[in-house]
Amino acid sequence: GIDVVLKEFCTDSNGNAVANPRVLKRFTRKLIREQRRLSRKILKSNNRNKARVRVARVHEHIANIRKDFLHKLSTRLVNENQVIAVENLKIKNMMKNHHLAKAITDVSWSEFFRQLTYKAELHGAKLLKVDTFYPSSRTCSNCGYQNEEAKNLNVRSWTCPKCGAVHDRDENAAKNILRKALEQTA
């Protein structure tokens, strides 16, 4: 089971967290500097054309780093697992939140899910999708109790009032996603 997060890139049901590379954040200063230089150039001049190419190279470098990370991660996940369960997220709708849109764009979840889909099909693995509105972060993976206080995104870990288990939000969500996906197929 895989739960995608903005803090890390994703967390699986075994408790392994993959760090978020934050490529755009790392190269923002360089990109701003090159775009500022481009804006100062005279239209239709050779120097403007050279500056335009420099800006394009920075964008290409960012895209290449992101694609490399996503390809390596998706290939590793498909090779190591026969069944992969993910949430069926509506990423276009999530992008409408202007506070999170830049960070969601930077992690490229839609591209990650696209790569997982075709690589799982290619390697003979099963990719299972869980409904978007399934409360995976709020449900206790031990007893099934739904904690409404865990609805807040700032709550990173919580204790189940029913069974007393301490849960990391992301790892608990990944376990619940895997369990729900296996229930749906059975």
Side-chain angles (χ1 to χ4, degrees), residues 136-153:
S136 59
S137 299
R138 295 179 285 159
T139 307
C140 176
S141 57
N142 289 345
C143 65
Y145 176 79
Q146 282 194 18
N147 186 1
E148 294 301 320
E149 295 170 7
K151 217 175 200 182
N152 187 357
L153 291 174

Side-chain angles (χ1 to χ4, degrees), residues 1-4 84-94 109-114 116-117 127-136 173-174 176-178 180-181 184:
I2 297 174
D3 181 42
V4 289
I84 301 170
V86 294
E87 254 182 316
N88 190 16
L89 297 175
K90 306 283 187 257
I91 296 164
K92 274 191 177 178
N93 294 343
M94 293 171 75
W109 285 339
S110 57
E111 177 64 16
F112 176 65
F113 292 138
R114 186 192 70 79
L116 268 181
T117 304
L127 183 69
L128 307 174
K129 294 189 177 182
V130 175
D131 183 40
T132 308
F133 299 107
Y134 175 66
S136 59
N176 286 329
I177 288 169
L178 178 62
K180 181 69 174 178
Q184 288 176 349

